Amino acid sequence: MRGLWKVLDDVALRHVTGRAWTTPDGTRPRVLLLKFSSVAHADHLRRRDSALTGEALLQGVDGAEVLDRVAGDVRVPDVTAYAYEEKAPYGPEETLWAHIRAGDTLAVVTQTREGGAPTVPFRQTLVLQAQLLG
């Protein structure tokens, strides 16, 4: 959490909101929306968090691999998405996450599940969130 506050000190964060739930199969999706004072600040945090492989906004994730096939499904004008999966070995649960930038808003979508996180529901959550932001 310390890394998150250090990163947020560098950007002009205006509003934060989030939602999390658990599905019947134990999958835990979470959506965090961060609204900044400008597009540049939102993109700065996205680039910085990507370079840190999620360490700033995700605790317990040591490395990432890009999921181009998932982010490529987001086809919303003026919205960009970047999807990642935790590198193996990932311990008891796997984490998938994505950054979605729409203007001055950055969404961080995560999905964790014990034994491995399925990509199809993650892709659906990512596409729907991108459509809501677009």
Side-chain angles (χ1 to χ4, degrees):
M1 199 62 162
R2 182 182 236 182
L4 173 60
W5 294 116
K6 180 168 177 19
V7 170
L8 292 179
D9 279 345
D10 297 340
V11 295
L13 184 63
R14 294 181 60 198
H15 302 285
V16 178
T17 190
R19 176 70 72 178
W21 63 98
T22 303
T23 65
D25 71 351
T27 303
R28 291 185 315 278
R30 290 182 296 271
V31 178
L32 179 65
L33 299 177
L34 304 154
K35 185 172 179 72
F36 298 91
S37 62
S38 71
V39 173
H41 286 296
D43 200 46
H44 170 74
L45 180 60
R46 192 224 30 102
R47 283 192 323 270
R48 185 169 179 167
D49 194 54
S50 295
L52 295 171
T53 63
E55 292 172 17
L57 297 175
L58 301 174
Q59 288 191 321
V61 176
D62 293 327
E65 294 181 12
V66 177
L67 287 173
D68 285 331
R69 67 186 185 280
V70 173
D73 289 343
V74 175
R75 294 183 183 98
V76 179
D78 302 319
V79 173
T80 55
Y82 307 86
Y84 309 91
E85 67 181 334
E86 187 175 6
K87 285 183 182 178
Y90 47 79
E93 62 183 22
E94 179 185 19
T95 301
L96 304 175
W97 75 96
H99 298 128
I100 305 168
R101 194 185 54 75
D104 62 357
T105 301
L106 178 68
V108 180
V109 178
T110 63
Q111 179 178 291
T112 58
R113 182 170 157 226
E114 194 170 317
T119 57
V120 172
F122 176 66
R123 179 183 298 126
Q124 292 169 338
T125 302
L126 182 62
V127 170
L128 290 172
Q129 186 62 51
Q131 290 172 343
L132 287 169
L133 289 171

